[in-house]
Amino acid sequence: MGLFNRIKNLVSKPEPPKPERTVLDLREGDMVEVSLVTYEVIGSVKNHARKEQMVTLRDGNELRYLHMEDRETLSFALYSTINGRLDSIREVPSTIELDGVDYYLEEEYNGRVIATGKTPFSMAGEQFVWRFQSDQRKLLRIEWQDGRFMMYEGEPTIRADVQVVRAT
């Protein structure tokens, strides 16, 4: 190493360390552990206005969906898709009975989302969401975008059960 390079290294600023990625920074290819099961992140739908993200997870052939929302506290819910049909967004009821469980409408909203990777909705656009909760703390989520409904059933997950295993 020449004298000039040594002097340059003494005077130059060291590169700042890269900020550690958090669960809210998940993207395709990352590995995440949820309730002791390791999943690969294969897609994501983000609503920046609400500070929320729905991440598509794959474990073998099984697909799950991790919903994260950063409001007063960071909350998580793990969902699986369910079969169901609704004819119109104007006909979403405030109470739904599903397999003997009554779900009550907790929140209804819409917003612009950005979709990346493999997700139920393949492009950005306006998305309508209905979130339901049962007395047994089970969750039901209905999404509508571009004329297509998706229905999910799940449960809340505590922060300690969600860990980034490997970030790409």
Side-chain angles (χ1 to χ4, degrees), residues 4-5 8 17 20-21 30 35 42 53 56 64-65 71 78 81 84-85 87 109 133 135 137 151:
F4 180 71
N5 284 338
K8 185 174 111 180
E20 188 173 318
R21 297 216 1 242
D30 290 349
S35 301
I42 62 169
Q53 178 178 5
T56 306
R64 303 290 298 268
Y65 301 89
R71 286 188 171 178
L78 187 62
T81 58
R85 192 183 89 133
D87 294 325
Y109 60 91
Q133 186 169 356
D135 291 337
R137 292 188 33 90
M151 297 177 76

Side-chain angles (χ1 to χ4, degrees), residues 45-54 67-70 109 113 127 129 131 141:
V45 175
K46 293 182 183 180
N47 183 333
H48 290 288
R50 289 185 56 92
K51 295 169 84 175
E52 77 172 347
Q53 178 178 5
M54 182 82 121
H67 178 260
M68 300 170 277
E69 188 168 24
D70 190 11
Y109 60 91
V113 297
Q127 185 179 68
V129 177
R131 290 176 24 176
R141 179 181 174 97

Side-chain angles (χ1 to χ4, degrees), residues 103-168:
Y103 292 92
Y104 303 97
L105 184 62
E106 181 180 47
E107 186 175 19
E108 174 185 348
Y109 60 91
N110 65 304
R112 187 131 185 93
V113 297
I114 297 170
T116 57
K118 296 180 180 181
T119 64
F121 302 104
S122 60
M123 56 193 286
E126 186 78 11
Q127 185 179 68
F128 292 80
V129 177
W130 295 265
R131 290 176 24 176
F132 295 81
Q133 186 169 356
S134 75
D135 291 337
Q136 295 83 19
R137 292 188 33 90
K138 287 188 163 203
L139 303 174
L140 178 70
R141 179 181 174 97
I142 300 173
E143 298 175 344
W144 181 89
Q145 184 177 342
D146 292 329
R148 181 173 182 220
F149 277 102
M150 284 297 296
M151 297 177 76
Y152 310 89
E153 189 175 38
E155 294 182 349
T157 303
I158 60 172
R159 171 67 181 104
D161 282 351
V162 180
Q163 302 295 322
V164 176
V165 176
R166 186 187 77 219
T168 56

Side-chain angles (χ1 to χ4, degrees), residues 10-44:
L10 287 173
V11 211
S12 66
K13 293 181 181 178
E15 278 190 38
K18 291 183 179 181
E20 188 173 318
R21 297 216 1 242
T22 66
V23 178
L24 292 172
D25 302 320
L26 289 174
R27 58 180 177 233
E28 297 93 69
D30 290 349
M31 300 297 285
V32 64
E33 185 178 286
V34 182
S35 301
L36 302 176
V37 178
T38 303
Y39 298 97
E40 176 188 7
V41 176
I42 62 169
S44 141

